[in-house]
PDB file of all heavy atoms in Angstrom:
ATOM      1  N   TYR A  55     195.909 156.567  81.664  1.00  0.00           N
ATOM      2  CA  TYR A  55     195.863 156.321  83.104  1.00  0.00           C
ATOM      3  C   TYR A  55     196.514 154.998  83.473  1.00  0.00           C
ATOM      4  O   TYR A  55     196.852 154.190  82.607  1.00  0.00           O
ATOM      5  CB  TYR A  55     194.420 156.376  83.617  1.00  0.00           C
ATOM      6  CG  TYR A  55     193.577 155.142  83.318  1.00  0.00           C
ATOM      7  CD1 TYR A  55     193.232 154.239  84.324  1.00  0.00           C
ATOM      8  CD2 TYR A  55     193.127 154.874  82.019  1.00  0.00           C
ATOM      9  CE1 TYR A  55     192.457 153.114  84.060  1.00  0.00           C
ATOM     10  CE2 TYR A  55     192.356 153.754  81.753  1.00  0.00           C
ATOM     11  CZ  TYR A  55     192.021 152.879  82.779  1.00  0.00           C
ATOM     12  OH  TYR A  55     191.263 151.764  82.514  1.00  0.00           O
ATOM     13  N   VAL A  57     196.252 152.005  86.996  1.00  0.00           N
ATOM     14  CA  VAL A  57     195.734 151.617  88.314  1.00  0.00           C
ATOM     15  C   VAL A  57     196.768 150.673  88.925  1.00  0.00           C
ATOM     16  O   VAL A  57     197.081 149.632  88.339  1.00  0.00           O
ATOM     17  CB  VAL A  57     194.362 150.914  88.217  1.00  0.00           C
ATOM     18  CG1 VAL A  57     193.891 150.477  89.601  1.00  0.00           C
ATOM     19  CG2 VAL A  57     193.329 151.825  87.567  1.00  0.00           C
ATOM     20  N   HIS A  71     204.102 149.190  85.666  1.00  0.00           N
ATOM     21  CA  HIS A  71     203.048 150.182  85.414  1.00  0.00           C
ATOM     22  C   HIS A  71     203.623 151.444  84.773  1.00  0.00           C
ATOM     23  O   HIS A  71     203.018 152.020  83.867  1.00  0.00           O
ATOM     24  CB  HIS A  71     202.317 150.527  86.720  1.00  0.00           C
ATOM     25  CG  HIS A  71     201.357 149.462  87.154  1.00  0.00           C
ATOM     26  ND1 HIS A  71     200.084 149.357  86.622  1.00  0.00           N
ATOM     27  CD2 HIS A  71     201.477 148.443  88.036  1.00  0.00           C
ATOM     28  CE1 HIS A  71     199.467 148.324  87.173  1.00  0.00           C
ATOM     29  NE2 HIS A  71     200.290 147.749  88.028  1.00  0.00           N
ATOM     30  N   ARG A  74     204.311 150.840  81.117  1.00  0.00           N
ATOM     31  CA  ARG A  74     203.088 150.880  80.304  1.00  0.00           C
ATOM     32  C   ARG A  74     202.579 152.312  80.165  1.00  0.00           C
ATOM     33  O   ARG A  74     202.086 152.711  79.106  1.00  0.00           O
ATOM     34  CB  ARG A  74     202.014 149.967  80.915  1.00  0.00           C
ATOM     35  CG  ARG A  74     200.777 149.862  80.032  1.00  0.00           C
ATOM     36  CD  ARG A  74     199.791 148.833  80.532  1.00  0.00           C
ATOM     37  NE  ARG A  74     199.240 149.188  81.826  1.00  0.00           N
ATOM     38  CZ  ARG A  74     198.440 148.405  82.541  1.00  0.00           C
ATOM     39  NH1 ARG A  74     198.115 147.208  82.082  1.00  0.00           N
ATOM     40  NH2 ARG A  74     197.973 148.787  83.698  1.00  0.00           N
ATOM     41  N   ARG A 163     184.786 148.420  70.891  1.00  0.00           N
ATOM     42  CA  ARG A 163     185.773 149.476  71.151  1.00  0.00           C
ATOM     43  C   ARG A 163     186.574 149.826  69.899  1.00  0.00           C
ATOM     44  O   ARG A 163     186.377 149.268  68.846  1.00  0.00           O
ATOM     45  CB  ARG A 163     186.704 149.019  72.279  1.00  0.00           C
ATOM     46  CG  ARG A 163     185.933 148.679  73.550  1.00  0.00           C
ATOM     47  CD  ARG A 163     186.827 148.025  74.569  1.00  0.00           C
ATOM     48  NE  ARG A 163     187.463 146.838  74.030  1.00  0.00           N
ATOM     49  CZ  ARG A 163     188.574 146.296  74.495  1.00  0.00           C
ATOM     50  NH1 ARG A 163     189.154 146.819  75.544  1.00  0.00           N
ATOM     51  NH2 ARG A 163     189.090 145.210  73.939  1.00  0.00           N
ATOM     52  N   LYS A 170     196.268 152.557  77.334  1.00  0.00           N
ATOM     53  CA  LYS A 170     195.376 152.647  78.498  1.00  0.00           C
ATOM     54  C   LYS A 170     194.783 154.055  78.547  1.00  0.00           C
ATOM     55  O   LYS A 170     195.186 154.916  79.333  1.00  0.00           O
ATOM     56  CB  LYS A 170     196.136 152.287  79.786  1.00  0.00           C
ATOM     57  CG  LYS A 170     195.204 151.839  80.899  1.00  0.00           C
ATOM     58  CD  LYS A 170     195.929 151.032  81.957  1.00  0.00           C
ATOM     59  CE  LYS A 170     195.085 150.744  83.186  1.00  0.00           C
ATOM     60  NZ  LYS A 170     193.870 149.980  82.949  1.00  0.00           N
ATOM     61  N   ASN A 177     183.820 150.683  77.334  1.00  0.00           N
ATOM     62  CA  ASN A 177     184.068 149.752  78.444  1.00  0.00           C
ATOM     63  C   ASN A 177     183.022 149.913  79.542  1.00  0.00           C
ATOM     64  O   ASN A 177     182.565 148.941  80.142  1.00  0.00           O
ATOM     65  CB  ASN A 177     185.450 150.003  79.052  1.00  0.00           C
ATOM     66  CG  ASN A 177     186.548 149.973  78.014  1.00  0.00           C
ATOM     67  OD1 ASN A 177     186.551 150.778  77.094  1.00  0.00           O
ATOM     68  ND2 ASN A 177     187.473 149.038  78.136  1.00  0.00           N
ATOM     69  N   GLU A 202     189.505 140.077  75.508  1.00  0.00           N
ATOM     70  CA  GLU A 202     189.734 140.416  76.918  1.00  0.00           C
ATOM     71  C   GLU A 202     188.395 140.768  77.536  1.00  0.00           C
ATOM     72  O   GLU A 202     187.358 140.723  76.883  1.00  0.00           O
ATOM     73  CB  GLU A 202     190.742 141.566  77.078  1.00  0.00           C
ATOM     74  CG  GLU A 202     190.307 142.893  76.501  1.00  0.00           C
ATOM     75  CD  GLU A 202     191.302 144.030  76.787  1.00  0.00           C
ATOM     76  OE1 GLU A 202     192.073 143.951  77.757  1.00  0.00           O
ATOM     77  OE2 GLU A 202     191.268 145.023  76.027  1.00  0.00           O
ATOM     78  N   GLY A 203     188.411 141.130  78.835  1.00  0.00           N
ATOM     79  CA  GLY A 203     187.191 141.598  79.479  1.00  0.00           C
ATOM     80  C   GLY A 203     187.061 143.104  79.305  1.00  0.00           C
ATOM     81  O   GLY A 203     187.972 143.773  78.797  1.00  0.00           O
ATOM     82  N   ALA A 204     185.933 143.666  79.754  1.00  0.00           N
ATOM     83  CA  ALA A 204     185.725 145.117  79.648  1.00  0.00           C
ATOM     84  C   ALA A 204     186.763 145.867  80.477  1.00  0.00           C
ATOM     85  O   ALA A 204     187.116 146.997  80.150  1.00  0.00           O
ATOM     86  CB  ALA A 204     184.312 145.478  80.096  1.00  0.00           C
ATOM     87  N   ALA A 205     187.245 145.249  81.566  1.00  0.00           N
ATOM     88  CA  ALA A 205     188.325 145.855  82.368  1.00  0.00           C
ATOM     89  C   ALA A 205     189.214 144.763  82.954  1.00  0.00           C
ATOM     90  O   ALA A 205     189.596 144.808  84.127  1.00  0.00           O
ATOM     91  CB  ALA A 205     187.744 146.729  83.471  1.00  0.00           C
ATOM     92  N   SER A 206     189.534 143.772  82.133  1.00  0.00           N
ATOM     93  CA  SER A 206     190.359 142.647  82.613  1.00  0.00           C
ATOM     94  C   SER A 206     190.893 141.870  81.409  1.00  0.00           C
ATOM     95  O   SER A 206     190.387 142.024  80.298  1.00  0.00           O
ATOM     96  CB  SER A 206     189.508 141.715  83.490  1.00  0.00           C
ATOM     97  OG  SER A 206     188.360 141.298  82.767  1.00  0.00           O
ATOM     98  N   ASN A 207     191.895 141.037  81.644  1.00  0.00           N
ATOM     99  CA  ASN A 207     192.387 140.129  80.600  1.00  0.00           C
ATOM    100  C   ASN A 207     191.777 138.748  80.813  1.00  0.00           C
ATOM    101  O   ASN A 207     191.342 138.420  81.912  1.00  0.00           O
ATOM    102  CB  ASN A 207     193.916 140.043  80.630  1.00  0.00           C
ATOM    103  CG  ASN A 207     194.569 141.317  80.165  1.00  0.00           C
ATOM    104  OD1 ASN A 207     195.186 142.033  80.941  1.00  0.00           O
ATOM    105  ND2 ASN A 207     194.443 141.642  78.887  1.00  0.00           N
ATOM    106  N   LEU A 226     194.616 145.225  76.158  1.00  0.00           N
ATOM    107  CA  LEU A 226     195.552 145.926  77.032  1.00  0.00           C
ATOM    108  C   LEU A 226     196.611 144.937  77.534  1.00  0.00           C
ATOM    109  O   LEU A 226     196.253 143.846  77.991  1.00  0.00           O
ATOM    110  CB  LEU A 226     194.797 146.511  78.229  1.00  0.00           C
ATOM    111  CG  LEU A 226     195.667 147.397  79.111  1.00  0.00           C
ATOM    112  CD1 LEU A 226     195.835 148.770  78.482  1.00  0.00           C
ATOM    113  CD2 LEU A 226     195.095 147.533  80.504  1.00  0.00           C
ATOM    114  N   GLY A 228     198.050 143.652  80.139  1.00  0.00           N
ATOM    115  CA  GLY A 228     197.784 143.727  81.584  1.00  0.00           C
ATOM    116  C   GLY A 228     199.018 143.379  82.408  1.00  0.00           C
ATOM    117  O   GLY A 228     199.768 142.463  82.068  1.00  0.00           O
ATOM    118  N   ILE A 229     199.190 144.092  83.504  1.00  0.00           N
ATOM    119  CA  ILE A 229     200.319 143.818  84.402  1.00  0.00           C
ATOM    120  C   ILE A 229     200.059 142.513  85.158  1.00  0.00           C
ATOM    121  O   ILE A 229     200.977 141.715  85.378  1.00  0.00           O
ATOM    122  CB  ILE A 229     200.511 144.998  85.396  1.00  0.00           C
ATOM    123  CG1 ILE A 229     200.621 146.343  84.642  1.00  0.00           C
ATOM    124  CG2 ILE A 229     201.727 144.760  86.280  1.00  0.00           C
ATOM    125  CD1 ILE A 229     201.728 146.455  83.628  1.00  0.00           C
ATOM    126  N   THR A 230     198.803 142.265  85.508  1.00  0.00           N
ATOM    127  CA  THR A 230     198.458 141.007  86.178  1.00  0.00           C
ATOM    128  C   THR A 230     198.630 139.847  85.204  1.00  0.00           C
ATOM    129  O   THR A 230     199.146 138.784  85.569  1.00  0.00           O
ATOM    130  CB  THR A 230     197.002 141.071  86.678  1.00  0.00           C
ATOM    131  OG1 THR A 230     196.756 142.374  87.196  1.00  0.00           O
ATOM    132  CG2 THR A 230     196.735 140.029  87.743  1.00  0.00           C
ATOM    133  N   ARG A 231     198.211 140.059  83.965  1.00  0.00           N
ATOM    134  CA  ARG A 231     198.397 139.056  82.898  1.00  0.00           C
ATOM    135  C   ARG A 231     199.864 138.657  82.795  1.00  0.00           C
ATOM    136  O   ARG A 231     200.209 137.467  82.776  1.00  0.00           O
ATOM    137  CB  ARG A 231     197.900 139.649  81.568  1.00  0.00           C
ATOM    138  CG  ARG A 231     198.227 138.842  80.326  1.00  0.00           C
ATOM    139  CD  ARG A 231     198.001 139.676  79.061  1.00  0.00           C
ATOM    140  NE  ARG A 231     198.275 138.906  77.855  1.00  0.00           N
ATOM    141  CZ  ARG A 231     199.493 138.711  77.344  1.00  0.00           C
ATOM    142  NH1 ARG A 231     200.566 139.220  77.951  1.00  0.00           N
ATOM    143  NH2 ARG A 231     199.656 137.993  76.253  1.00  0.00           N
ATOM    144  N   THR A 264     191.759 138.537  84.760  1.00  0.00           N
ATOM    145  CA  THR A 264     192.803 139.108  85.616  1.00  0.00           C
ATOM    146  C   THR A 264     192.796 140.636  85.527  1.00  0.00           C
ATOM    147  O   THR A 264     192.590 141.213  84.460  1.00  0.00           O
ATOM    148  CB  THR A 264     194.206 138.614  85.199  1.00  0.00           C
ATOM    149  OG1 THR A 264     194.506 139.068  83.874  1.00  0.00           O
ATOM    150  CG2 THR A 264     194.308 137.104  85.249  1.00  0.00           C
ATOM    151  N   SER A 265     193.028 141.265  86.693  1.00  0.00           N
ATOM    152  CA  SER A 265     193.262 142.716  86.712  1.00  0.00           C
ATOM    153  C   SER A 265     193.895 143.079  88.043  1.00  0.00           C
ATOM    154  O   SER A 265     193.848 142.290  88.994  1.00  0.00           O
ATOM    155  CB  SER A 265     191.967 143.508  86.514  1.00  0.00           C
ATOM    156  OG  SER A 265     191.268 143.632  87.722  1.00  0.00           O
ATOM    157  N   SER A 266     194.461 144.266  88.085  1.00  0.00           N
ATOM    158  CA  SER A 266     195.148 144.713  89.296  1.00  0.00           C
ATOM    159  C   SER A 266     194.209 144.779  90.496  1.00  0.00           C
ATOM    160  O   SER A 266     194.638 144.582  91.621  1.00  0.00           O
ATOM    161  CB  SER A 266     195.749 146.103  89.071  1.00  0.00           C
ATOM    162  OG  SER A 266     196.772 146.007  88.121  1.00  0.00           O
ATOM    163  N   THR A 267     192.945 145.087  90.258  1.00  0.00           N
ATOM    164  CA  THR A 267     192.020 145.208  91.388  1.00  0.00           C
ATOM    165  C   THR A 267     191.282 143.902  91.680  1.00  0.00           C
ATOM    166  O   THR A 267     190.951 143.617  92.813  1.00  0.00           O
ATOM    167  CB  THR A 267     190.996 146.335  91.118  1.00  0.00           C
ATOM    168  OG1 THR A 267     190.542 146.210  89.771  1.00  0.00           O
ATOM    169  CG2 THR A 267     191.635 147.694  91.306  1.00  0.00           C
TER     170      THR A 267
HETATM  171  N1  PDD B 426     191.646 147.993  84.237  1.00  0.00           N
HETATM  172  N2  PDD B 426     192.067 145.103  80.087  1.00  0.00           N
HETATM  173  C1  PDD B 426     191.385 146.238  80.313  1.00  0.00           C
HETATM  174  C2  PDD B 426     190.516 146.781  79.229  1.00  0.00           C
HETATM  175  C3  PDD B 426     191.495 146.884  81.551  1.00  0.00           C
HETATM  176  O1  PDD B 426     190.848 148.035  81.771  1.00  0.00           O
HETATM  177  C4  PDD B 426     192.312 146.312  82.570  1.00  0.00           C
HETATM  178  C5  PDD B 426     192.492 146.942  83.926  1.00  0.00           C
HETATM  179  C6  PDD B 426     192.999 145.119  82.282  1.00  0.00           C
HETATM  180  C7  PDD B 426     193.919 144.475  83.283  1.00  0.00           C
HETATM  181  O2  PDD B 426     195.128 145.195  83.414  1.00  0.00           O
HETATM  182  P1  PDD B 426     195.973 145.169  84.769  1.00  0.00           P
HETATM  183  O3  PDD B 426     196.265 143.732  85.085  1.00  0.00           O
HETATM  184  O4  PDD B 426     197.182 145.916  84.432  1.00  0.00           O
HETATM  185  O5  PDD B 426     195.113 145.804  85.813  1.00  0.00           O
HETATM  186  C8  PDD B 426     192.860 144.552  81.024  1.00  0.00           C
HETATM  187  C9  PDD B 426     191.832 148.748  85.458  1.00  0.00           C
HETATM  188  C10 PDD B 426     191.984 147.930  86.693  1.00  0.00           C
HETATM  189  C11 PDD B 426     190.750 149.796  85.544  1.00  0.00           C
HETATM  190  O6  PDD B 426     190.401 150.329  84.502  1.00  0.00           O
HETATM  191  O7  PDD B 426     190.280 150.117  86.639  1.00  0.00           O
END
Side-chain angles (χ1 to χ4, degrees):
Y55 77 107
V57 178
H71 284 279
R74 186 173 64 186
R163 303 171 304 158
K170 202 160 171 61
N177 307 61
E202 64 175 336
S206 55
N207 290 111
L226 187 79
I229 307 302
T230 320
R231 170 194 182 278
T264 64
S265 82
S266 293
T267 44

